[in-house]
Amino acid sequence: MKKILALHTGGTISMHEDASGKVVPDVENPITKAQFALPDDVELTSEDIFNLPSPHVTPEHMLLLKNRIEKAVREEDFFGVVITHGTDTLEETAFFLDTTVMDLCPIVLTGAMRSSNELGSDGLYNYLSAIRVASCDDSFGKGVVVVMNDEVHSARFVTKTHTTNVATFRTPTHGPIGLITKHKVMYFNKLLEHSKAKIEKVDSKIPIIKAYAGMDSTTFEVLSHMNIDGLVVEALGSGNLPPYTLEGLQKVIDKDIPIVVVSRCFNGVAEPVYAYEGGGVNLEKMGLIFANGINSQKARLKLLIALNAGMSGIEIDEFIAE
Ligand code: ASP
């Protein structure tokens, strides 16, 4: 038998719709009460580790999950772990675990777009799919994955793309790494290896700001007076900023904190390409670090992990750019 640990954290998958049509949290998790047939070779243990809508989830909760998973694999002989989670920040928890959990075991996150008693509720179906993926031998060495709507996505690039559609989780640029069919779990991509970092705390303050046409220095000026440990900038296109931002940006650079550039485009990779004023080539010369194809919310977590792992200088640059 394969021992699978299900860690429930809350989200729509654990909620129901009330008589007025509002979706509200349940005291008792409907997913743990549900009756359904498990795969023959699975022995399931369920724990409600916390019960929160995912906008309430913080890096401290992610750290709690990391520690619980490492204990489950090292001391309790679990084969794989399933985490049920609200979809709003699910990609962030998945990315955090993918970058910090050292043990190699299938770790699968899932959620639902429709709560437990809504017509066409997808929670139980996604939960069973996630259990199938977590108990599949081929899921070893795939990193942390997100399973929703019959698809398997790598935690590194997956993102929530739709406010309500059950097919909300997509992997722009690369696509899913696997499919769940009626009879099997099929993978058609290998994991791109990437570094992990050991952390025991998640203390840093790292805001994200987004660039737009006509943006000036105001936001950077304000940030230069704040007590922050790093900054992520969602720049334009391949990684450019309006020239009117540069005076303020320089004041943030003078604080000697790491500043990471990603693109506000949801496809592709930000790179220093343009050498005009505010272009990526100049931003790199000013000391900004280009993240490799991840979105701003993930770049923020990556920088937070780097700082809390005690990295500095070139170590941060290499970890972020990888
Ligand atoms: N707002 C909900 C949450 O993230 C959405 C969901 O779970 O699908 O908790």
Side-chain angles (χ1 to χ4, degrees):
M1 289 297 262
K2 289 168 175 164
K3 280 175 66 181
I4 303 294
L5 176 64
L7 297 172
H8 302 292
T9 71
T12 299
I13 195 165
S14 307
M15 299 184 193
H16 72 280
E17 190 179 72
D18 70 12
S20 70
K22 294 189 190 78
V23 176
V24 289
D26 263 305
V27 183
E28 213 185 330
N29 191 344
I31 211 86
T32 46
K33 284 187 295 182
Q35 301 288 317
F36 61 99
L38 284 171
D40 292 340
D41 59 344
V42 167
E43 186 189 311
L44 186 69
T45 305
S46 273
E47 283 178 26
D48 288 298
I49 189 159
F50 44 86
N51 185 11
L52 294 172
S54 78
H56 297 200
V57 170
T58 66
E60 279 79 13
H61 296 110
M62 299 175 195
L63 194 60
L64 193 69
L65 281 167
K66 173 193 104 69
N67 292 338
R68 180 65 192 96
I69 293 168
E70 287 181 345
K71 183 165 182 271
V73 180
R74 284 181 197 158
E75 296 169 26
E76 298 164 39
D77 201 28
F78 278 101
F79 179 93
V81 178
V82 168
I83 299 165
T84 66
H85 198 289
T87 60
D88 290 354
T89 63
L90 187 150
E91 67 188 85
E92 282 159 90
T93 298
F95 184 85
F96 180 95
L97 297 175
D98 198 42
T99 316
T100 57
V101 175
M102 296 295 164
D103 298 294
L104 198 66
C105 87
I107 300 171
V108 183
L109 282 91
T110 194
M113 296 303 287
R114 300 183 186 132
S115 65
S116 58
N117 60 340
E118 279 177 73
L119 199 61
S121 172
D122 52 336
L124 204 50
Y125 183 86
N126 286 335
Y127 184 43
L128 179 57
S129 299
I131 293 168
R132 288 178 58 200
V133 172
S135 59
C136 169
D137 293 331
D138 290 346
S139 298
F140 272 88
K142 298 290 187 300
V144 175
V145 295
V146 172
V147 163
M148 292 274 289
N149 203 41
D150 286 336
E151 290 181 350
V152 187
H153 293 263
S154 168
R156 190 156 168 199
F157 297 115
V158 70
T159 192
K160 184 173 181 178
T161 63
H162 197 287
T163 50
T164 52
N165 195 310
V166 293
T168 186
F169 281 97
R170 300 271 179 204
T171 303
T173 311
H174 311 276
I177 61 164
L179 281 181
I180 301 139
T181 69
K182 287 266 180 243
H183 303 297
K184 53 184 184 264
V185 176
M186 291 171 57
Y187 286 100
F188 40 82
N189 267 320
K190 284 207 171 124
L191 179 72
L192 290 169
E193 288 299 335
H194 63 103
S195 307
K196 294 178 183 243
K198 275 204 169 93
I199 54 166
E200 270 145 38
K201 59 184 183 59
V202 281
D203 290 339
S204 322
K205 199 176 262 185
I206 306 166
I208 298 172
I209 60 162
K210 183 169 187 157
Y212 50 87
M215 186 183 195
D216 65 15
S217 267
T218 315
T219 313
F220 288 110
E221 291 274 356
V222 172
L223 286 165
S224 74
H225 296 294
M226 282 174 59
N227 187 14
I228 55 172
D229 304 296
L231 177 66
V232 175
V233 183
E234 253 191 49
L236 309 172
S238 58
N240 311 302
L241 285 175
Y244 329 107
T245 59
L246 298 182
E247 207 182 311
L249 175 62
Q250 187 56 54
K251 290 186 184 161
V252 185
I253 293 170
D254 291 344
K255 288 168 78 71
D256 205 20
I257 55 168
I259 305 177
V260 175
V261 182
V262 300
S263 175
R264 69 174 197 178
C265 300
F266 68 88
N267 261 308
V269 176
E271 282 178 333
V273 175
Y274 292 94
Y276 52 72
E277 201 189 2
V281 171
N282 293 346
L283 297 181
E284 191 184 41
K285 275 194 200 136
M286 290 170 83
L288 272 59
I289 313 161
F290 281 73
N292 189 13
I294 52 175
N295 64 23
S296 57
Q297 53 272 33
K298 292 182 184 184
R300 177 187 177 279
L301 283 173
K302 203 163 186 191
L303 183 53
L304 180 137
I305 290 164
L307 291 172
N308 282 279
M311 294 183 203
S312 61
I314 187 84
E315 261 183 310
I316 295 185
D317 297 4
E318 286 174 4
F319 185 66
I320 297 293
E322 184 188 46

